[in-house]
Amino acid sequence: MSSSNAPSPSPSQDSTSAAATTSRTPVVTTKAVGKLEPRTLITIGVFAAIYFVVAYATGMLGLVSPIGEVAGFMLGTLINGTVIMLFLVKTRAFGAMTILGFLVGLVMMLLGEYWAVLPISIIVGLLADLIVRSGRYRSKVRNILSYPVFQLWLIGCILPIWLSPASYREHISASMGKQYADGMVSIFSSLGIVFIVLIVLIGALAAWIGTRILERNLAHAGIL
């Protein structure tokens, strides 16, 4: 009998309870799952084209001098940081960076770069994929870390200098001249591990800058 006299909860109590329950429920978005879809593949293709145009345009500095080659690598890494940070926001799918690496490596190999640039690009793309997935595609720090790892595909472009400098010198001399070939071998042989360190440091800086640009500008436009 006493239970029939118990006061029923008021509408305000019901809404408060519902709000509390909702606040405790984690928000799950389909983007966080990270699945490759046809639309995602199109996005990958578009960004691969943008990335390649930047890399190719800055790489043209290498036609000026061997120092220009180094500057082109670093400038391309700096500019493409923003491209890749936006790419990660727009895709959020495991395999996106691997496919991007495959496309970049394939194009570079077809344009005459050392064959190892293709497998290296695929490997670093996969590593970058694993890094961003470990942060569920939303970790700012891990997205930033993935970019300098991805940029290590550039090692494939200069690997012949480290493995067989004499053969490389002979090959480049035929098209660019002996002085240019000697300069390339001298600079990149001297840089060695420093070249890799520069890629990582500039890549991390570029990714951080790209993240800041996205936060300050694109978020207000509702793109993020």
Side-chain angles (χ1 to χ4, degrees), residues 3 5 23 37 97 110 125 128 141 168 191 205 224:
S3 60
N5 296 327
S23 65
E37 301 173 351
M97 291 295 286
L110 293 176
V141 172
Y168 178 85
L191 283 176
L205 174 63
L224 291 181

Side-chain angles (χ1 to χ4, degrees), residues 146-165:
S146 71
Y147 179 61
V149 170
F150 180 77
Q151 282 301 104
L152 291 177
W153 71 265
L154 291 169
I155 293 174
C157 297
I158 63 169
L159 197 58
I161 299 178
W162 295 343
L163 297 179
S164 182

Side-chain angles (χ1 to χ4, degrees), residues 18-106:
T21 303
T22 303
S23 65
R24 290 193 299 267
T25 304
V27 178
V28 179
T29 61
T30 55
K31 272 289 186 182
V33 176
K35 293 182 179 180
L36 283 174
E37 301 173 351
R39 182 174 58 182
T40 307
L41 296 176
I42 295 174
T43 301
I44 294 172
V46 171
F47 274 88
I50 297 171
Y51 179 93
F52 175 75
V53 167
V54 172
Y56 187 80
T58 54
M60 296 297 286
L61 291 174
L63 297 177
V64 178
S65 68
I67 291 295
E69 187 80 12
V70 179
F73 282 147
M74 301 310 158
L75 182 60
T77 297
L78 189 61
I79 296 174
N80 267 327
T82 301
V83 175
I84 295 301
M85 289 303 99
L86 181 57
F87 173 75
L88 292 176
V89 169
K90 301 296 285 185
T91 55
R92 288 177 178 159
F94 184 76
M97 291 295 286
T98 306
I99 295 174
L100 179 65
F102 168 75
L103 294 175
V104 171
L106 179 63

